[in-house]
Amino acid sequence: MTRTPIPDDVAAWVVSTLRSVVDLEAVLLLRADPGRRWTAADVSERLYVGLPEAAEVLDYLTARGLASVDGEARRYDPGVPADGMVGRVATLYSTHLIAVTRLIHERPSSRVQQFADAFRLRKESE
């Protein structure tokens, strides 16, 4: 088995906090210029995603406590513990891009996990 360069606590945070590479790229984008007010249009243009997806990602990051609302825009605002973790993720992403993206892509989606859990429960009850 290949050992990942990602520490367990960072991997756990990534898997529990980020749903996609777009989430990761968005939080890193906001972190790169923390004083800037980012609109969905700004994020859409910088990350090459549609406006609805950019708006949804900003809403998600805000709900997760990684950004705050500033009028019609968002600012990077994670609080001290999360900022340290985002910094660690940013460093790992810059040096181990494939490992970090693989971690995100290979995590089971909630729907897949629910299906697997339902099957497991059915099998156990037989």
Side-chain angles (χ1 to χ4, degrees), residues 72-91:
E72 296 287 320
R74 301 293 195 283
R75 288 185 193 265
Y76 180 71
D77 187 17
V80 174
D83 184 45
M85 185 59 73
V86 174
R88 290 176 68 196
V89 171
T91 299

Side-chain angles (χ1 to χ4, degrees), residues 20 22 49-58:
S20 68
V22 175
V49 297
L51 190 57
E53 183 177 5
E56 194 277 327
V57 167
L58 286 174

Side-chain angles (χ1 to χ4, degrees), residues 97-119:
L97 180 118
I98 292 171
V100 174
T101 56
R102 182 175 290 144
L103 177 67
I104 293 169
H105 288 299
E106 290 179 352
R107 76 179 188 83
S109 72
S110 60
R111 283 190 222 155
V112 169
Q113 190 62 54
Q114 287 171 353
F115 176 76
D117 291 344
F119 182 74

